[in-house]
Structure formats: structure tokens, C-alpha cells
Amino acid sequence: MIQFDKLQTPAKGDKIKISEEKLVVTDTPIIPFIEGDGIGPDIMRASKRVWDAAVEKAYGGKRRIIWFELFAGDKAAEKYGEVLPEDTVRAIEHFIVAIKGPLTTPVGGGYRSLNVTMRQRLNLYACVRPVKYFEGVPSPVVHPERMNVVIFRENTEDVYAGIEWKEGTDEARKLIALLGDQFGVSIREDSGIGIKPISITGTKRLVRKAIQYALDRKLPSVTLVHKGNIMKFTEGAFRDWGYELAREEFGDVTVAEQELWERHDGQMPAGKILIKDRIADSMFQQVLTRTDEYSVVALPNLNGDYLSDACAAQIGGLGLAPGANIGDYVALFEATHGTAPKYAGMDKVNPGSLILSGVMMLEYLGWQEAADLINEAMGLAIKQKKVTYDLARLMGDVPPIKTSEFGSAIIENMKT
Ligand code: NAP
């Protein structure tokens, strides 16, 4: 039995296990949660009620989540004297599936983003963001309903690896000199330097996850997005290794776009997944102009960051966008917005992003029925214009309801 410094493992419930490369989830799994800072407690309270109600309704009381509170951010600082205690990281690793609210990151120092630290410590290499439209949400585009993608963004490499040196430092100067002396590369002396590593390992494990996701859900395509025409050995290699992985490990269930014309006369064979690639700048046009041609999308870190928010904007903004950071098995689900401190404790903000992250979590557990109940009920609540201030102000003449009331409206709309 795992021992913690200041945590008491719940007396009931079971740890999720892994057997034959699959999660084994009993009817009463222990799921750790981190409330989060700022609006975190407001949205977590409302979300837990929704998740619990859906599980109760979907399985007639047979299944139940045993919640286990972990600490990070402000609450951890009070309890442990540090913002990310070892207990928290160990508990997530041990119990495998966890969910969190937003955490404060002070600008310009203090400490590194807790979110980034957790992703690195737990090796959560895939950032997964489904982007799907809910009818009735105001959107800046004519056909927001055509957007239905799941974005797999690489989480550990690229210019986000944090390997950079400030202009004028010894390190920057040494690197500039080394590149000049040994590689004949001329870089202005007053430059800052950043390094962009993209590896076979990092690419293949991400693309493997994206293709497996498409396969499990019978989705039609996986698109590799890159800027390989310019950055050939990083972004271009991402594309090449992605196709290679598809051929090596999923050759019997995938068709590369080029083969589609060479071998299949442009007709997609039934039941197979199309693997295609797009250059990043073109992809930003395509998600607007040929939106419904894309399903699962896999990208390196920086492109993934940009494209996730651009896609979310098309369906009405980040307020309803869920997310997860996933490794080989360990998965940490989270709201994609921040702590919105000015609204903390006001029972005012939209809990939609966290609730939908919980839907992803239920799907990850294999509890699809409970996930479907929430998706449908949230869609109905929005159609009925029972929404929090952020959506109400976009809808025009709609009186906003509270965070907790939005939770209740979803629960009332659950049909079994
Ligand atoms: P933010 O907390 O996301 O808030 C920016 C604005 O977005 C809010 O003022 C509000 O807009 C709107 N908003 C955010 N969440 C909302 C919700 N649930 N419902 C309705 N509206 C919502 O971004 P920030 O102010 O840049 O960041 C604040 C703190 O959060 C920072 O410390 C940042 O580092 C942290 N952060 C954490 C995470 C994370 O933990 N994953 C992610 C991002 C940021 P209006 O003012 O227009 O109403």
C-alpha cells in the first residue's frame, strides 16, 4: 500500500490497474482531484455534482467514483509549505487517472508553471483537445457545426523544451561562437538562442496515440500538421516519422494520402484510416474553409498550441474547451482556461471546460454511457439558454445563471 506524507488514501474504492496494456477499472475507482486556485473550487464543486449524477444515472447506482483530494497551488502552499508537493505527483502516478482545476502561474518568476512541471514529471507527452460545437453557442463563423476535431499536440519537445539562452549571456555567446567556428553558421552577436529538438521517440509515441484514438473510435483520418517545407529536419521529420509509424504499426488499417491515388483511385477503402499531412499555414486556412475534412490532428508542440486555440475560437471560444495531458497510461484531465482570479468564489463562471474534461475522463475509463449523458444534457441546457454570464452576454438578451445553477440545469436534463 502506498504511503503519503500528509494524505490519507480513501478507505473504500480501488486503484486503477493496468493489465495487457489496458486500464482495469472496477465499479468504484479512486480518482484523485485537485481543486485548483481562483475559480477552481467553484467549477470543481459544480462539475463533481454533474459527473456523480451522470455515473449514478447511467449505471443505476452500481458504479461510483471515489474522490481523493490532492493539493497543488495555494491550498498546497498552506498545507505543505510548497506549491507542488511530492505527495501530489506520486498520487497521480499511482492512481493513474486524475483531474484538476486551473492553477496560478506567477508572471516573471517565482516558480515554473505547475502545469508544465506536472506534465514533465509525469511524462504526459500528449496534450489532447477535442473541439466540437454545441448548438446555440454564438460563434464567429457561419458553420461552426462543421468543426469536430481532436487535436493531439506533442507536449515535451520543440521550442517548448525550455532550452534557451538570453542575449548577451556567456552561454549565448559561446553557442554563437561554436556555431560560427565549427559549422560556419553566422548568427548576429546580439541574439538570444533557442533550441528546437524533435525526436523520433517523441514523434512516434504521439502519432501512435493519435492513430490508436482514431482506430478505437472509428474516425476517418489522422492529419500530420508541420512546417516541414522550411524546417526540414524537425518539422519535416515529424511528418516523415509519422507516416513511417503509420506504415510500420498500423499498415493494415491505414492508407497514406499518396497511396489513395496511386493504389485506390482516390476511393478510400472501407474501414481504413486516411493518413494525410498539411503544412501548418495551409492548415489554418483549411480548418476555416474545409473544416469537415479533418478529424484527428497530430502536431508538434508550437503548431499544436496555436491550432488548438484557433479551432476553439471557431466553436465559440475557450470557455467550453476541455483538455487532457496523457502519457503511456497516466492521464491528467484539466480545464483549459486559467484561474480567472477576479471571479473567485463568486459562483459565476462557466464550469463547462472542466465538466467536458471530466467527460473525456469518463471515456478514458470506458464509462461511455455516463459521458454521453453529460454531453447530451449540456447541449440541451445550452439550447434552453440556461448559461453562465460569458455565454449569456454573447447570446444577447439572456439572463445569466450561476456556476452551480448551470450544473443543476445539466443534471435536470439528463435522460436515462
Ligand atoms: P484566465 O484565468 O483564463 O482568464 C481570462 C479571462 O477568460 C477571464 O477574465 C474571463 O473573461 C475568461 N474566463 C476564464 N475562465 C472562464 C470561465 N470558466 N468562465 C467564463 N469566463 C472565463 O486567464 P489569465 O487571466 O490570463 O490567467 C489567470 C491565471 O491562470 C494565471 O496565473 C495563469 O498562469 C493561470 N492559468 C492556468 C492555466 C491552467 O492551470 N491550466 C491555464 C491558463 C492560465 P472575462 O473577464 O471577459 O469575463
Side-chain angles (χ1 to χ4, degrees):
M1 191 59 158
I2 188 165
Q3 295 294 324
F4 296 106
D5 179 18
K6 293 188 181 173
L7 294 173
Q8 193 64 48
T9 308
K12 288 185 184 155
D14 313 294
K15 169 182 153 39
I16 291 172
K17 297 199 174 106
I18 294 155
S19 168
E20 293 176 359
E21 300 183 1
K22 290 212 158 55
L23 297 195
V24 180
V25 183
T26 69
D27 286 342
T28 49
I30 296 174
I31 305 276
F33 71 97
I34 297 166
E35 222 176 31
D37 299 326
I39 55 173
D42 288 339
I43 58 174
M44 188 59 82
R45 207 175 303 119
S47 300
K48 276 167 65 195
R49 278 179 54 227
V50 170
W51 301 325
D52 284 344
V55 170
E56 159 84 33
K57 283 197 187 185
Y59 308 110
K62 188 169 164 281
R63 289 182 177 172
R64 188 161 64 92
I65 291 174
I66 308 299
W67 295 108
F68 178 23
E69 181 165 16
L70 309 181
F71 301 90
D74 295 346
K75 256 184 152 175
E78 260 172 50
K79 196 175 165 76
Y80 288 85
E82 54 181 324
V83 287
L84 185 59
E86 201 53 28
D87 268 3
T88 301
V89 178
R90 285 179 62 231
I92 296 171
E93 202 164 29
H94 180 74
F95 289 102
I96 299 176
V97 174
I99 191 156
K100 64 175 274 293
L103 294 167
T104 311
T105 303
V107 179
Y111 48 83
R112 273 192 87 188
S113 159
L114 295 185
N115 300 303
V116 174
T117 309
M118 274 196 255
R119 282 171 210 163
Q120 289 183 346
R121 289 281 312 275
L122 295 161
N123 200 14
L124 306 176
Y125 54 80
C127 174
V128 185
R129 293 243 199 126
V131 187
K132 192 180 83 177
Y133 183 63
F134 278 95
E135 198 185 324
V137 175
S139 149
V141 299
V142 181
H143 286 294
E145 75 288 351
R146 290 184 185 164
M147 169 70 67
N148 188 1
V149 297
V150 182
I151 295 173
F152 280 73
R153 165 187 169 197
E154 205 289 323
N155 235 351
T156 63
E157 304 196 318
D158 201 351
V159 283
Y160 276 64
I163 311 169
E164 53 176 9
W165 291 278
K166 198 174 168 184
E167 179 276 321
T169 55
D170 267 0
E171 291 88 344
R173 268 198 230 109
K174 273 188 201 157
L175 257 173
I176 291 169
L178 176 91
L179 289 168
D181 295 345
Q182 311 237 343
F183 298 95
V185 176
S186 157
I187 297 178
R188 276 193 202 100
E189 279 186 11
D190 58 349
S191 299
I193 300 278
I195 303 264
K196 178 184 174 81
I198 291 194
S199 69
I200 298 177
T201 308
T203 301
K204 287 196 172 175
R205 66 185 181 180
L206 177 87
V207 175
R208 181 181 298 117
K209 244 191 200 330
I211 298 178
Q212 190 62 50
Y213 184 95
L215 197 60
D216 291 345
R217 288 163 181 78
K218 301 187 170 35
L219 297 172
S221 68
V222 175
T223 306
L224 309 167
V225 178
H226 58 89
K227 191 72 187 157
N229 51 334
I230 305 296
M231 291 169 272
K232 298 186 194 319
F233 306 125
T234 49
E235 301 260 335
F238 176 89
R239 175 203 54 206
D240 295 345
W241 294 327
Y243 277 122
E244 192 174 284
L245 181 280
R247 250 189 339 266
E248 286 167 354
E249 297 186 17
F250 298 93
D252 50 341
V253 287
T254 58
V255 174
E257 201 169 29
Q258 205 182 347
E259 284 170 19
L260 182 64
W261 293 99
E262 285 171 3
R263 294 206 201 149
H264 304 283
D265 208 19
Q267 290 300 312
M268 193 57 198
K272 297 212 174 181
I273 300 168
L274 180 65
I275 310 292
K276 44 190 175 180
D277 78 279
R278 295 290 178 269
I279 291 182
D281 39 329
S282 153
M283 187 64 178
F284 277 83
Q285 291 187 43
Q286 299 258 311
V287 290
L288 277 164
T289 54
R290 303 173 72 146
T291 318
D292 49 12
E293 290 181 17
Y294 297 95
S295 173
V296 175
V297 183
L299 323 83
N301 212 335
L302 181 64
N303 293 332
D305 194 4
Y306 296 157
L307 195 75
S308 306
D309 282 16
C311 289
Q314 275 181 239
I315 55 119
L318 284 172
L320 287 172
N325 294 293
I326 305 181
D328 283 342
Y329 300 103
V330 175
L332 182 57
F333 296 82
E334 65 173 356
T336 52
H337 55 72
T339 58
K342 66 182 173 186
Y343 297 128
M346 291 168 68
D347 197 18
K348 179 181 168 99
V349 296
N350 189 347
S353 171
L354 186 60
I355 291 175
L356 292 175
S357 302
V359 167
M360 289 176 75
M361 182 181 82
L362 292 167
E363 288 176 346
Y364 195 73
L365 298 178
W367 293 11
Q368 191 63 47
E369 300 80 1
D372 291 344
L373 266 185
I374 301 174
N375 259 330
E376 278 161 39
M378 187 186 279
L380 286 171
I382 293 170
K383 254 195 237 168
Q384 295 155 357
K385 302 194 174 176
K386 292 181 182 162
V387 292
T388 47
Y389 85 96
D390 51 319
L391 293 182
R393 80 183 162 194
L394 294 172
M395 286 177 177
D397 203 13
V398 171
I401 61 175
K402 292 173 188 287
T403 311
S404 52
E405 291 169 339
F406 184 60
S408 303
I410 296 172
I411 294 169
E412 282 154 21
N413 273 303
M414 283 179 194
K415 295 182 185 130
T416 45

